[in-house]
Amino acid sequence: MTVKANQPLQRDRSTALGPAPAGPRPERSAPEVSFIICTRNRVAVLDACIKSVQAACRAHAGFAAELVVVDNGSSDRTAERLASIAAMSDIPFTPVCEPRPGLAAARNAGLRRARGRVLVFVDDDCAVHCDYLRDLERHYASGEKWLIRGGRVELGDPRDLPFTIKRSWVRERLTPDVHPGGFVLGCNMTMHRDVAASIGYFDERFGAGGPLRSAEDTDYLVRAMLLGIPVEYVPDMTIFHHHGRRDRKAIEKLHRDYSLGNGGLCLKHVRHAPWLFRHFYWAARGALRELTGGPAFDRELNLSHWPIVAMNLLGAARFAVLLLARRPQAEPVRQDQQANAQVR
């Protein structure tokens, strides 16, 4: 059953968002946009990401923005570098420390501190196009806020293998006929804060650094669809992904990690999104066809269907273990955060 996005929902406390917290400088008016960047031990590439966002903010200063950068337990000089940038930045800049490991935990920490009307998730190895804010404002100017919207993801370096990118020129919306993984990439994902409040926090069992290694963004898209919130891809709002993977071994590992997370995703949503199993069936059928000379999953990179099938099964088994162990989806909002929250 589909629930309209503006209806009150009964949700697990562990994933329900609290209202936007007051910023460290309460005298500032709330920005229109919050860029949320999560990072861990990547101080070497983080500067380029932050500078690109700052440049985009200066290029379209009328659409006021802030940066919220979450240090997810780095052991390099990330904390010191963020403190230095915060002291010098002409764009409102909030460094956040989240020691609990996992990208989903870091995204949730960013959600708690972001004050913008529109939330933008960008990965630390990405660079934002200088016209990003102009495109973002144009899309949200229509007044349609009840959707998740993702943009174009190009290779940042032509030496990197063409993976974790999306170059389609077609604007489209997600349907159950299309696998949600990669439809909108987590490194370029936007939503109104009311949408985030309706969906809740990211599930911390998923995502890099978590037990299921990936799919925290895909899980978020599925949860949006189950609430009747559309998911849209647009061919602008461009970012450049400097993922740095130039050998097959690195790509194959990521391919397996993505499949592990998607297996857990299938089991999590077995009751309310059984259509996810259709994609597992197609992967299994593709794997069997490979035995008789059928096409690979990715012909350009020669990635097989077989790791998808095997890791999907392993991911489902791992999710079952986490479920039996009652592993929480996300840290509940603490009482001190609620007491200091500012209702918009």
Side-chain angles (χ1 to χ4, degrees), residues 29-35 53-67 90-92 116-120 128 130-145 149 190-193 237 344:
S29 59
E32 290 292 317
V33 180
S34 293
F35 284 93
V53 175
Q54 290 173 326
C57 294
R58 296 185 195 106
H60 196 54
F63 202 45
E66 69 169 357
L67 279 75
D90 58 332
I91 308 297
R117 179 174 62 91
V118 177
L119 309 174
V120 180
V128 173
C130 62
D131 289 332
Y132 191 97
L133 274 178
R134 195 180 308 277
D135 294 337
L136 184 76
E137 183 180 32
R138 184 179 68 254
H139 286 300
Y140 280 92
S142 67
E144 183 182 16
K145 71 177 185 179
R149 180 179 284 122
T190 77
M191 67 196 77
H192 195 282
R193 69 175 308 108
M237 282 173 35
R344 291 176 58 82

